[in-house]
Amino acid sequence: MNLRTVIPLLGPTARAMRWRPFLAAVALGLAVTAVPAATSVLLSNENLVNLLRIAAVCGALGATFLLDDPAAGSIATVPAGRLLRYAVRLVIALAAVAAWWTTVVAITVAGAEHEVSLQLGGTTVEAATLMAVGLGLAVLAGRNAPDGNGSTVAGATLLAVTAGAAFLPEGLALFLAPDDPRWPAAHVYWTLALTAASLVTVVAGYEPVRSRLLRR
């Protein structure tokens, strides 16, 4: 994989990606933070962080649609393998999500009525982890889907995982208030989860063993 191979694929891949569901999801996430920011409602730091978390889930859900590849079955023998095709989609998706998340954070901070302490580093790690989990699930689901579309299964599973994380016992809680003394320790686990999800995404992007053998 090199730039000579990747760059020519960026334009055609971007045009083939499912942008409408992604844009709808990120627009909802943006609204979650923009509407309170535009009003005179005074929200606590914890409330603002929770809004960012809801927005992050929306962004992660939307990003799963960007990895849908309905043509996967018909282009299994092209020189650009599955991992390369997913890598190009991931580059485009992550660039779009990064720009969106920067906008969401900026709006949240600008709309706060008081000096905020949102622990933006940790909050961004949480958002990145949710994104990595969603993308990993999309790659795994797409790998086994006949039509190459894994977003439906990935989105439902992501919501279930997020709900499970939100209702963990107090001693294992991951979604903490920004002033909670357990915040640094919890974000060690978030970072580990981010690393694991990223590795799963990469490994799942490889061609299935059986497909490689058949092509040989």
Side-chain angles (χ1 to χ4, degrees), residues 13-35:
T13 301
R15 289 191 293 272
M17 291 166 73
R18 298 184 64 189
W19 289 103
R20 288 184 181 179
F22 169 77
L23 293 175
V26 296
L28 177 59
L30 186 62
V32 166
T33 56
V35 171

Side-chain angles (χ1 to χ4, degrees), residues 80-167:
R82 180 188 296 267
L83 182 61
L84 175 59
R85 298 197 303 272
Y86 272 129
V88 174
R89 286 175 177 268
L90 283 170
V91 167
I92 298 169
L94 292 177
V97 169
W100 167 79
W101 179 250
T102 301
T103 303
V104 167
V105 170
I107 289 174
T108 302
V109 173
E113 297 289 336
H114 55 90
E115 185 177 349
V116 294
S117 176
L118 302 181
Q119 300 277 17
L120 291 178
T123 306
T124 300
V125 169
E126 293 180 18
T129 303
L130 292 171
M131 184 65 57
V133 170
L135 294 174
L137 290 169
V139 175
L140 282 172
R143 182 186 180 92
N144 299 312
D147 59 359
N149 294 337
S151 56
T152 302
V153 173
T157 307
L158 175 63
L159 288 177
V161 170
T162 304
F167 290 101

